[in-house]
Structure formats: C-alpha cells, structure tokens
Amino acid sequence: MITLGIESTAHTFGIGIIEDGTIQANSKDQYTPEEGGIHPSEASEHHYRKADTVLDQALAQTDHDIEDIDCIAFSRGPGLPQCLQIGGTVARSLAAQHDIPIVGVNHCVAHIEIGKLTTDATDPVTLYVSGGNAQIIAYSGGRYRVFGETLDIAIGNALDKFARALDIPHPGGPEIEQRARQGETLIDLPYVVKGMDFSFSGLVTEAQSKIDDVDTDDLCFSFQEYAFAMLIEAAERAMAHTGKDELLVTGGVAANNRLQEMAATMAEERDGQRFKVPHAYCMDNGAMIAQAGARQYRAAGGEELSALGTDPNWRTDQTEVPWIDD
Ligand code: AMP
Ligand code: MG
C-alpha cells in the first residue's frame, strides 16, 4: 500500500510517501519569517506557493506517479488555521481529482507514529517538544493520553520569545543552545511544575527582565536548565506511573543536545531504560503524516471527503487510534 502524507500545520509544507512501511520520499519547504515569529498569513501564502513543487519533488523521489497512490493523508490539526487550510485543500483536491481515499490525521499522533517506525520504540512515553506543543503522551486504554502538558506556551515558543529579546532571529532555539554551552553560573529562575503540567511564560518574563543585569550566556544556560528539568521531571513521573520503559523525545526542540543528555540520564537512572530520538524526523514532515495515515486507513478505511474539514484545536487525547491493540 502506498500512502502520501501532507503536512502544513505551521512553518513547514511537507509531502512524504510511504510504501508498505518504507519511507520512499520526504520532501519539504520551510517558511522562515524575515522578522519576529511566524506570521500565519505569510506562512499559508508560502504553503500555496510551494505546494506544487514539493509534490513534484516527492513523487520524483519514488518510481510512482499520483495515480499509484492508494491513500492520501493530511494533517487535520492541531495547528494554525490558515496553514491547515492549505494542506487540507491540496489533499481534498488530489483525492477528488484522482479518486483516491483520504484520511485526516492528528499531527501529534503522527510525530509518535514516525518515532515508532524509525526507532525501535514500540510503546513509549513520548516527550513532544516543538514550537507549538509541549506534551507528555503515552498510550493507555484505547487512546494516546496526555499525562502532562504546558499550561501556557510551548517550550519552542518560549525559547524563541526569549531569543527575540536577545535579538536572535527566529527560530532562536539553536543559538540559545550554542550560547548556553558558554554559560556556567546557574541564575535563579522560576521552576513551575503543577501536578504533571508545567508552565513557561513566567520563566520567559523573568529571564527577559534579567538580560541587562547578568551574563547572557549564563542566562541561556540557566533558561535551558530550568525549562528542560521541568519537562524531564514530568516525563519521569509519567514513566513511573505507566510502567513503560521507553522514552521517545521528538519535535524540533528534541534536536537540543542538553535536553537529550538530560533525557538519557533520566532513562538510564530508571533501571537502564531506553531513550530514543527519531533524528531525521523530529521536525514537522510529510512522512510522519503518511505513516499515521497508512495505519489509520488500514484499520478504519477512508473518510467521507465532504465531511473532512480541518480542526485547529484537535487534541491528542480526542483522537481515535483504532490501529493499536490493547
Ligand atoms: P517544530 O515546531 O517541531 O518544527 O520545531 C521548531 C522549534 O524547535 C523552534 O521553536 C526552534 O527554536 C526549536 N529548536 C530547533 N532546534 C533547537 C535546538 N537545538 N535547541 C532548542 N530548540 C530548538
Ligand atoms: Mg510538530
């Protein structure tokens, strides 16, 4: 079975093609704002300008043309409404024109499914850390459940906001990581974990207010130490609660070496448990949508084209996952 997946939730327009569990193509084009954060209307304009080229590139990476595709999958949500619209429209028009079955998939669930396909994780606790999301997720009783999540902004968004105050261009996470390597003094910042949830907006405000008073490399170092320790604390409790022995870290922030180091240490200290990062597929991409779509289509078939809109607030734990056996 050949599935074509379309990703368009935020800055990336991507198309991936998966044939019987093997990734055949993964083409993408990313919008980068000239100034400030992501402007939704500019990002969606980027997506409709690039959609055709990305589709052609993806098909060219395979031996197939569009008529060979058995199922079209697209990111139905969560995401920026204007951006989701483009992927949804491209998917529906391809499905209608070529009479191909279609499924709408949950973007967060897709990050987990591509993680399971490209690492040897089978039933992990997932720490999903990206520009728009910060969630701790694990499968339990028919759904991927959210065991902990941000109470305000996502971790990537927090890093990018703090970076902007330091005049670092978007996305600021990678440069914060570089500067943090030079820092050595831990500066006192808010550490906010409430139950299994966490919050980053107070950390951003406090770090911004200290920029003129302390060494900014120390501030970058401290920002990472506080933010990542909050995430790892909640992830560790999710592992203890569920009894699962694999930790999957994914999303754009998973590229951070200090976060990976803290995750590896936590997993190791829990009886040598395993820690996985789907390196080439952490960032948003079309292959992950193809993989989740293929599993969904095989288990439950296609969806009604006319009823299939986008859903900007679709939660991980509202999503049916009929392909997983309890
Ligand atoms: P995503 O939304 O999954 O595409 O990821 C984008 C986010 O990842 C942005 O907020 C980036 O600042 C962040 N990011 C990318 N690389 C790193 C890194 N090395 N360290 C921290 N954050 C990063
Ligand atoms: Mg994502």
Side-chain angles (χ1 to χ4, degrees), residues 282-298:
C282 281
M283 299 289 283
D284 293 350
N285 62 84
M288 70 188 215
I289 307 305
Q291 174 60 6
R295 297 202 72 179
Q296 187 168 320
Y297 179 69
R298 245 188 256 115

Side-chain angles (χ1 to χ4, degrees), residues 211-232:
I211 286 174
D212 294 332
D213 304 327
V214 298
D215 180 85
T216 51
D217 291 343
D218 287 341
L219 203 50
C220 291
F221 166 71
S222 308
F223 190 104
Q224 286 197 166
E225 293 302 301
Y226 276 84
F228 297 164
M230 284 154 52
L231 292 165
I232 297 295

Side-chain angles (χ1 to χ4, degrees), residues 225-260:
E225 293 302 301
Y226 276 84
F228 297 164
M230 284 154 52
L231 292 165
I232 297 295
E233 178 194 327
E236 176 164 27
R237 280 196 278 141
M239 293 185 80
H241 177 77
T242 57
K244 296 188 196 284
D245 61 5
E246 301 163 319
L247 176 66
L248 180 73
V249 184
T250 191
V253 183
N256 187 287
N257 281 307
R258 179 61 184 140
L259 178 63
Q260 289 186 20

Side-chain angles (χ1 to χ4, degrees), residues 154-165:
I155 176 64
N157 188 217
L159 286 161
D160 296 339
K161 277 192 166 152
F162 173 53
R164 271 208 291 289

Side-chain angles (χ1 to χ4, degrees), residues 7 9 107-108 111 128 130-133 251-252 282-285 288:
E7 160 58 28
T9 56
H107 175 90
C108 310
H111 269 293
Y128 171 34
S130 71
N133 296 280
C282 281
M283 299 289 283
D284 293 350
N285 62 84
M288 70 188 215

Side-chain angles (χ1 to χ4, degrees), residues 1-7 14-19 22-23 25-26 71-75 103 105 110 113-114 117 285-298:
M1 189 180 83
I2 309 172
T3 306
L4 180 145
I6 303 177
E7 160 58 28
I15 295 192
I17 298 172
I18 293 198
E19 183 168 5
T22 302
I23 300 168
N26 193 33
C71 170
I72 304 246
F74 71 101
S75 257
V103 293
V105 312
E113 291 299 336
I114 198 75
L117 181 72
N285 62 84
M288 70 188 215
I289 307 305
Q291 174 60 6
R295 297 202 72 179
Q296 187 168 320
Y297 179 69
R298 245 188 256 115

